[in-house]
């Protein structure tokens, strides 16, 4: 079987090989190539020691920071390629990283330390595909399986638990029985993994095309670092709009959301406060009063704990806070909503609302879809001229008001806010002349 290797990668491999060492493209790039997916990155493994790799390649383009662990990074055409010496890992401490690494001369040993059979594949044009652990057959059968004993492999590095879920979610693979049982058994090991690494895998998991079965099967894993989801699992809703419990509904919303970090995170966390806001009325119908506001707060707390970036956190919190609002679809309400959440979040909010509706009782889906379409149409009309209904796009600024004789900063701010309100309400158009006229009326009113 021939695999297309990018020219840069092949050049690296051939340079190392002609110096008398072994070199292969290895890991995810081979897995993806066999599946017809374009790999994110190409990694090379070699029998050459890091210093030997340095000597063979042009020193100008080399980053040596990872050399202690055997990795030399080379830059070609502004792309980075990692070249890692065959190695086995030493003792693991805290289920995280090996204490030390030992360089070895055999490809087989190097592949044996890799996490899953589908990632333990190497290739070069001379040797062809090197598959010592059944990776090709597992790719064919769409299976994620540990190389070696799963309990041992997960206790060496707990992050592999989330990597397994991420590959299952991204590739649509089933996690093999023993590996799966071991994931459930060892999920607690994730307590030893840094928030940043967990967050990055979590985003990979929820952003996958095949996320639904993964989240349905492994909520125990997610609850190790988001224990707040525990109360959602199996929680009935007793509401005509819902046919699923809170967690199953949540999973469907994630799966129905378009891709993207903020959107999928808000889908995952949008009903996080439903359990605590639950009440039953006298007719036996369930309600969740206040869950969007409470949920936004709780989600903020969770995301800060996971050390996510502030921009994402702010956006997700806003989307959660507004996810359940249903203002009448008119231009004034749309202008107000834009002024509250911003243009970027508006589109995302509509996508979240649609995904939310898709995870509810299908009897109401058409109606809810029509509603978001109306809001989107109004949004397009209102923003056609680049208007964002905030002080930045207001066609008047502080200097214009100074021109009218207002000198105090506080007063200027107050007038600008008033004018923005007028634009949102539709009583004044966002044209400088009209705004100046309105400002004068406002100022004179204050004087009289
Ligand atoms: P992606 O498509 O996300 O890049 P990948 O399989 O290439 O997937 P990388 O994190 O780029 O994953 O790692 C490259 C290779 O290194 C993997 O294919 C695997 O062989 C090995 N590897 C990475 N992380 C681990 C780990 N935690 N434990 C064991 N092997 C690992
Ligand atoms: Mg990779």
């Amino acid at each position: 079987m021939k695999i297309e290797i990018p020219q840069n990668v092949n050049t690296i491999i051939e340079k190392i090989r002609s110096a008398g060492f072994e070199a292969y493209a290895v890991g995810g790039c081979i897995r993806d190539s066999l599946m017809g997916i374009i790999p994110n990155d190409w990694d090379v493994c070699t029998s050459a020691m890091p210093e030997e790799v340095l000597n063979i390649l042009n020193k100008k383009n080399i980053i040596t920071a990872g050399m202690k662990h055997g990795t030399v990074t080379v830059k070609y055409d502004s792309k980075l390629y990692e070249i890692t010496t065959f190695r086995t890992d030493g003792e693991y401490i805290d289920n995280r990283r090996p204490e030390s690494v030992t360089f070895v001369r055999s490809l087989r040993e190097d592949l044996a330390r890799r996490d899953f059979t589908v990632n333990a594949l190497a290739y070069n044009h001379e040797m062809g595909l090197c598959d010592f652990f059944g990776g090709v057959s597992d790719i064919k059968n769409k299976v994620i399986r540990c190389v070696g004993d799963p309990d041992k492999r997960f206790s060496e590095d707990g992050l592999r638990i989330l990597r397994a879920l991420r590959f299952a979610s991204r590739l649509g693979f089933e996690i093999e029985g023993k590996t799966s049982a071991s994931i459930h058994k060892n999920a607690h090991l994730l307590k030893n993994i840094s928030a940043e690494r967990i967050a990055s895998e979590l985003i990979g998991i929820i952003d996958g095309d095949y996320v639904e079965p993964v989240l349905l099967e492994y909520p125990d894993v997610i609850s190790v670092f988001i224990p707040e989801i525990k109360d959602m699992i199996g929680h009935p809703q007793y509401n005509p709009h819902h046919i699923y419990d809170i967690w199953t509904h949540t999973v469907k919303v994630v799966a129905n959301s378009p891709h993207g970090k903020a959107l999928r995170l808000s889908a995952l966390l949008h009903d996080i406060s439903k359990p605590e806001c639950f009440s039953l009325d006298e007719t036996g119908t369930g309600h969740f009063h206040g869950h969007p506001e409470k949920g936004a707060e709780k989600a903020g707390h969770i995301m800060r704990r996971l050390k996510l970036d502030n921009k994402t956190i702010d956006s997700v919190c806003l989307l959660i806070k507004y996810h359940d609002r249903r203002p009448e679809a008119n231009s004034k309400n749309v202008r107000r909503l834009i002024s509250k959440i911003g243009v970027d979040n508006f589109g995302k909010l509509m996508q979240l609302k649609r995904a939310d509706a898709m995870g509810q009782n299908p009897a109401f889906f058409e109606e809810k879809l029509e509603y978001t379409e109306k809001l989107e149409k109004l949004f397009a009309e209102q923003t056609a001229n680049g208007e964002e209904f905030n002080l930045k796009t207001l066609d008047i600024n502080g200097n214009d008001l100074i021109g009218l004789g207002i000198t105090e900063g506080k007063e200027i701010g107050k007038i600008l806010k008033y004018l923005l309100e007028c634009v949102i309400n539709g009583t004044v158009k966002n044209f400088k002349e009209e705004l100046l006229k309105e400002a004068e009326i406002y100022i004179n009113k204050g004087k009289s």
Side-chain angles (χ1 to χ4, degrees):
M1 190 182 303
K2 191 164 158 66
I3 288 178
E4 288 296 324
I5 301 180
Q7 201 178 350
N8 286 340
V9 179
N10 207 40
T11 307
I12 294 170
I13 291 176
E14 285 314 313
K15 271 192 183 167
I16 300 176
R17 276 172 33 78
S18 53
F21 300 97
E22 288 180 60
Y24 302 84
V26 68
C29 57
I30 304 303
R31 176 200 68 222
D32 288 347
S33 297
L34 289 173
M35 294 182 66
I37 299 172
I38 295 172
N40 291 330
D41 44 30
W42 286 81
D43 298 317
V44 171
C45 64
T46 178
S47 60
M49 291 296 144
E51 290 77 15
E52 292 167 330
V53 175
L54 270 190
N55 286 334
I56 295 164
L57 300 176
N58 180 354
K59 289 202 173 86
K60 214 171 57 203
N61 303 320
I62 279 185
I63 301 161
T64 54
M67 272 180 66
K68 216 173 68 189
H69 295 104
T71 303
V72 169
T73 305
V74 59
K75 196 171 176 184
Y76 274 127
D77 303 333
S78 74
K79 276 201 187 119
L80 296 175
Y81 302 95
E82 289 191 350
I83 304 155
T84 305
T85 304
F86 294 159
R87 61 178 170 87
T88 56
D89 296 332
E91 280 297 297
Y92 280 80
I93 36 162
D94 297 342
N95 328 103
R96 262 179 304 180
R97 284 200 186 109
E99 177 93 310
S100 61
V101 300
T102 309
F103 299 132
V104 294
R105 293 282 182 181
S106 123
L107 170 67
R108 192 191 170 95
E109 279 180 89
D110 182 78
L111 293 181
R113 63 134 178 125
R114 292 173 185 269
D115 46 7
F116 306 111
T117 58
V118 297
N119 291 341
L121 294 168
Y123 176 91
N124 69 25
H125 287 318
E126 203 204 35
M127 302 302 287
L129 197 55
C130 303
D131 173 19
F132 302 117
F133 302 100
V136 173
S137 134
D138 281 343
I139 289 176
K140 234 179 240 152
N141 298 317
K142 300 183 170 240
V143 172
I144 299 294
R145 182 197 313 269
C146 282
V147 175
D149 173 39
D151 283 350
K152 180 164 175 279
R153 304 313 310 281
F154 291 131
S155 58
E156 284 169 358
D157 178 2
L159 191 73
R160 290 175 186 153
I161 291 171
L162 293 186
R163 286 175 58 88
L165 266 53
R166 169 161 68 84
F167 292 125
S169 170
R170 188 178 124 207
L171 305 171
F173 283 21
E174 185 93 25
I175 302 176
E176 171 272 334
K178 271 193 192 148
T179 302
S180 167
S182 179
I183 286 176
H184 288 297
K185 180 174 150 195
N186 291 299
H188 63 94
L189 296 176
L190 287 167
K191 293 221 163 83
N192 299 328
I193 306 293
S194 77
E196 290 87 347
R197 296 176 85 201
I198 285 189
S200 131
E201 290 298 334
L202 172 68
I203 288 157
I205 293 168
I206 61 176
D207 212 23
D209 278 341
Y210 306 91
V211 60
E212 186 170 332
V214 175
L215 289 182
L216 288 178
E217 195 177 335
Y218 297 96
D220 54 333
V221 174
I222 309 295
S223 14
V224 174
F225 48 91
I226 315 185
E228 290 88 345
I229 70 161
K230 279 187 195 159
D231 293 338
M232 302 163 87
I233 303 164
H235 193 305
Q237 306 214 49
Y238 303 113
N239 186 294
H241 283 273
H242 286 280
I243 54 171
Y244 303 114
D245 68 83
I246 302 175
W247 177 247
T248 307
H249 159 71
T250 294
V251 172
K252 302 227 173 242
V253 179
V254 173
N256 286 317
S257 284
H259 290 285
K261 178 157 79 166
L263 199 47
R264 291 252 165 147
L265 273 171
S266 43
L268 182 72
L269 299 173
H270 78 286
D271 278 350
I272 195 82
S273 283
K274 262 194 169 176
E276 78 210 59
C277 294
F278 177 66
S279 66
L280 269 181
D281 68 18
E282 59 283 359
T283 70
T285 303
H287 299 281
F288 304 92
H289 296 301
H291 81 277
E293 291 75 13
K294 278 232 165 80
E297 214 173 287
K298 206 180 206 176
H301 184 73
I302 293 168
M303 289 185 289
R304 279 189 292 278
R305 200 173 63 214
L306 289 173
K307 306 227 163 72
L308 283 153
D309 62 284
N310 287 333
K311 188 168 168 249
T312 303
I313 295 177
D314 291 347
S315 171
V316 172
C317 288
L318 267 179
L319 293 171
I320 294 178
K321 185 172 167 195
Y322 283 88
H323 83 268
D324 211 27
R325 303 226 179 149
R326 285 177 290 273
E328 192 194 320
N330 60 43
S331 43
K332 183 168 147 185
N333 285 341
V334 165
R335 287 195 294 268
R336 184 158 305 285
L337 191 52
I338 298 169
S339 80
K340 288 242 171 3
I341 67 174
V343 166
D344 285 350
N345 284 324
F346 193 96
K348 289 198 184 103
L349 182 64
M350 295 303 111
Q351 291 174 316
L352 177 63
K353 283 176 93 64
R354 243 190 317 264
D356 196 3
M358 286 163 94
Q360 299 175 2
N361 186 347
F364 301 102
F365 179 62
E366 280 302 314
E367 187 185 308
K368 287 171 185 167
L369 188 67
E370 259 172 46
Y371 172 68
T372 51
E373 275 171 0
K374 258 191 213 161
L375 290 181
E376 273 173 333
K377 198 164 160 257
L378 288 163
F379 172 81
E381 284 166 17
Q382 294 299 318
T383 55
N385 301 324
E387 175 64 277
E388 295 185 10
F389 306 99
N390 58 31
L391 292 180
K392 259 193 238 148
T393 59
L394 197 64
D395 201 17
I396 188 172
N397 60 31
N399 286 333
D400 299 315
L401 296 181
I402 291 170
L404 293 181
I406 308 294
T407 50
E408 208 197 322
K410 221 170 158 189
E411 187 64 10
I412 290 175
K414 202 169 129 194
I415 300 173
L416 289 174
K417 256 196 200 147
Y418 165 76
L419 293 173
L420 179 61
E421 266 305 298
C422 294
V423 171
I424 292 168
N425 282 331
T427 53
V428 177
K429 288 235 160 58
N430 190 17
F431 295 126
K432 193 175 227 144
E433 270 181 25
E434 292 200 28
L435 291 163
L436 280 171
K437 229 186 267 165
E438 185 64 30
E440 273 185 277
I441 296 170
Y442 182 83
I443 293 161
N444 287 333
K445 238 193 235 160
K447 281 181 190 154
S448 63

